[in-house]
Amino acid sequence: MYRVRKFRHNNRLYIADLDQFRLVEVNEITWNAMAFTSTLDTDGIIDQLSQTYPRDLVLETLKSLGDFQNNDVIFLLHGPCRLKQMEIV
């Protein structure tokens, strides 16, 4: 199980992977998406975030998170959401 934590510092948002000792500054939608990764699949996350943010922005954000996970940049997501490879058109 990966130990991924979210935190704020000086009005900036971060996601930290405590197993890989990596830290990434993120925007608000990415921060909010992380709250759903352990309980929802990709489609559920899209549905939830699309209630607050434009769908195109949600898809772009999830693609970025998927790229992080696929390239081992920061962490592997756990729970039901192993983000599908997404293509933005």
Side-chain angles (χ1 to χ4, degrees):
M1 173 96 131
Y2 282 86
R3 295 178 298 159
V4 177
R5 302 292 183 258
K6 301 182 339 177
F7 67 95
R8 293 178 191 266
H9 181 69
N10 294 332
N11 295 322
R12 292 184 176 192
L13 304 172
Y14 297 93
I15 297 172
D17 182 327
L18 304 179
D19 293 312
Q20 294 188 33
F21 305 106
R22 295 192 181 161
L23 177 71
V24 172
E25 184 175 358
V26 296
N27 61 17
E28 183 179 324
I29 188 170
T30 303
W31 172 268
N32 291 331
M34 290 302 299
F36 298 116
T37 60
S38 64
T39 59
L40 297 174
D41 63 11
T42 303
D43 292 331
I45 294 171
I46 292 168
D47 290 343
Q48 284 293 318
L49 293 175
S50 292
Q51 294 175 25
T52 306
Y53 302 99
R55 186 175 174 85
D56 290 345
L57 182 57
V58 171
L59 295 176
E60 183 179 320
T61 298
L62 294 183
K63 181 183 182 320
S64 295
L65 282 174
D67 290 346
F68 281 156
Q69 127 186 317
N70 293 334
N71 295 312
D72 295 327
V73 171
I74 186 169
F75 55 82
L76 297 173
L77 297 174
H78 58 280
C81 183
R82 171 94 181 151
L83 290 172
K84 296 186 259 187
Q85 188 66 23
M86 301 183 72
E87 186 174 324
I88 306 300
V89 282

